[in-house]
Amino acid sequence: MPSAPMDRLRERVRGQMVTPADAGYDEARRVYNAMIDRRPAVVVRCVDAADVMAAVDHARDHGMDLSVRGGSHSVPGFGTNDGGVVVDLSRMRGVRVDPLTHTARAEGGCTWGDFDHATHAFGLATTGGIVSSTGIGGLTLGGGIGYLARRFGLTVDNLESVDVVTAAGRQVVASDKSHEDLFWAVRGGGGNFGVVTSFEYQLHPVRDVVAGLFFYPVERAGDVLDFYRSYIDTAPEEMGAYPAFHLAPPLPFIPPEEHGRPFSVIIACWSGPADRAERALEPIRRAAPIVAEHVDTVPYPAMNTLFDELLPPGLQHYWKTAFATELTDGAIRAHLEYGPRVPAVNTAVHLYPINGACHRVPSDATAFAYRDARFATVIAGMWPDPADNAANTAWVRDYYRALEPHSTGGGYVNFMADDDQARVHDSYRDNYARLAAVKRAYDPDNLFHLNQNIPPAD
Ligand SMILES: Cc1cc2nc3c(=O)[nH]c(=O)nc-3n(C[C@H](O)[C@H](O)[C@H](O)COP(=O)(O)OP(=O)(O)OC[C@H]3O[C@@H](n4cnc5c(N)ncnc54)[C@H](O)[C@@H]3O)c2cc1C
């Protein structure tokens, strides 16, 4: 009879356990952000909910830190820890599509690439991430912003039910009909409430989209932002478009002499009827003189791979974020000061719109509280060389500080940094007290604390 705790865990787990003694440990402990270098006691590569229950029980019973990892994209590195247990869901990636009900059930370790691939075969999609390697788990639980959000709402607005392994090590189904409070809390409350082993989503008919990339001189960024702030309020909801600052990547449609230079950019995804695409894109084309543009009809999953090559695992990441109800003149001035200094071709400054269908959901209907925000800005610092960490982190911080007076207090929890814990309360505003109460009911000892944490109510 095995007696050591790790042996008992091994007896219960059908997937793979990787400890520091095992070959492959360095690969198993690695996360997407190469700045994070932690050494958990065990990574449990779960294959089913039973494995997840075993790993949760082990962490709880032995007072160990517990991380949950799906796509591994957490910039603060919540998907790993020092000396604790990692529930790695990356082997749980099945997706079942029901074409009759237009729903899909996806296991907790799926990436958006997995999900889009599976649903696209049925001509169906839902709001998801714009990079295919991002996990559905973390992205959904924090809210979920993507090209289809203006039309179909946030990812959480498309959630029908979840299977959750709670801190007690038991799995429950949470939906509008059972564990309603838990279902409310996981729609925006992040990984605070348990391990979601599968998500059920509502799907919509979306097959091909028209992708538009518009590069304007960075000196005209003020015109572009001024155009965008009024345009996006009334643009058809089939238009998922956001302004950005980028260094021009070496793409064939961009003149070679412009590669590596800073640009004001609008990235557009038209999911409406193809014959209306040109007319819908026309105002964007006229926002300012165009240096380079590319418009093409692509399968929806391909749209969500646009940035993939720029964003391999192993980059350094430091991000900051802010919600804003208005894109004020002051905010535009801050963007004009820092946006043109975007430091690396991998770095992205994106101003995602929160409007349309996102605004039709009341702010207390799900945990995602900022239904009146109109812009979610992310300063996504990403670069390859650790030697640039100090300078690039300072650029992200300075940029954020300049935007802060023109922003609401809270931010989108999925874009927040590890030094943003003090902003969690503001990010949930009036929903915070209810979240803390749900936390007390489902995780009274705060086992799930490696996240933008909501401690249990007293
Ligand atoms: C390159 C890149 C692109 C991005 N694009 C978008 C985007 O288009 N839209 C958007 O809204 N966000 C986007 N994000 C932010 C993204 O939503 C968060 O980084 C999110 O946490 C990633 O989820 P993950 O499963 O990949 O990460 P992980 O590191 O695996 O998980 C992050 C945390 O989420 C929780 N978690 C994850 N899965 C589960 C689960 N099954 N059950 C319980 N808790 C879980 C845990 O607390 C975990 O520590 C992007 C991030 C990156 C790095």
Side-chain angles (χ1 to χ4, degrees), residues 209-211 214 231 236 239 268-285 295-297:
V209 296
V210 178
F214 301 91
Y231 161 79
M239 181 60 81
C269 172
W270 171 256
S271 65
D275 59 358
R276 282 174 44 208
E278 265 307 309
R279 198 162 48 137
L281 290 169
E282 199 45 40
I284 297 178
R285 187 175 281 122
V295 175
D296 199 4
T297 301

Side-chain angles (χ1 to χ4, degrees), residues 216-261:
Y216 314 91
V218 79
E219 298 76 25
R220 302 299 293 266
D223 296 330
V224 173
L225 294 175
D226 184 40
F227 153 78
Y228 181 81
R229 63 180 161 182
S230 51
Y231 161 79
I232 200 61
D233 273 345
T234 52
E237 288 181 6
E238 296 97 328
M239 181 60 81
Y242 55 90
F245 288 95
H246 275 283
L247 297 185
L251 293 169
F253 71 93
I254 302 175
E257 65 277 14
E258 305 291 358
H259 295 173
R261 293 201 179 142

Side-chain angles (χ1 to χ4, degrees), residues 17 25 46 74 205:
M17 282 172 50
Y25 175 70
C46 302
S74 163

Side-chain angles (χ1 to χ4, degrees), residues 1 10 17 92 97 108 119 182 212 225 242-243 324 342 344 356 364 389 457:
M1 278 285 285
R10 215 176 283 278
M17 282 172 50
M92 293 174 60
V97 178
T119 62
L182 179 60
L225 294 175
Y242 55 90
V342 59
D364 61 355
N389 286 4

Side-chain angles (χ1 to χ4, degrees), residues 197-214:
T197 53
S198 83
F199 297 82
E200 185 189 6
Y201 299 92
Q202 195 187 348
L203 303 174
H204 312 274
V206 174
R207 195 178 288 278
D208 290 342
V209 296
V210 178
L213 294 174
F214 301 91

Side-chain angles (χ1 to χ4, degrees), residues 435-457:
L435 280 164
V438 179
K439 177 77 170 177
R440 184 179 52 198
Y442 287 92
D443 185 14
D445 297 320
N446 207 1
L447 179 64
F448 298 102
H449 64 275
L450 294 174
N451 40 48
Q452 298 296 354
N453 195 231
I454 301 166

Side-chain angles (χ1 to χ4, degrees), residues 68 70-74 78 89 130 135 138-139 141 145 194 196 319 412 414:
V68 182
S72 178
H73 273 206
S74 163
F78 292 137
L89 300 171
I130 68 165
L139 184 141
L141 294 170
I145 298 172
V196 179
W319 295 24
Y412 177 39
N414 275 350

Side-chain angles (χ1 to χ4, degrees), residues 31-32 66-80 87 89 107-112 128-147 155 163-164 190-199 304 307 311 317 319 352 382 412-415 448 450-452:
V31 291
Y32 183 73
L66 176 62
S67 293
V68 182
R69 189 195 299 167
S72 178
H73 273 206
S74 163
V75 170
F78 292 137
T80 187
V87 168
L89 300 171
E107 285 187 293
C110 285
T111 63
W112 284 103
I130 68 165
V131 173
S132 76
S133 53
T134 305
I136 64 166
L139 184 141
T140 301
L141 294 170
I145 298 172
Y147 291 111
T155 309
D163 293 341
V164 189
N192 274 284
F193 304 95
V195 185
V196 179
T197 53
S198 83
F199 297 82
N304 287 330
F307 293 100
L311 301 175
H317 289 252
W319 295 24
Y352 299 113
M382 306 182 264
Y412 177 39
V413 289
N414 275 350
F415 293 158
F448 298 102
L450 294 174
N451 40 48
Q452 298 296 354

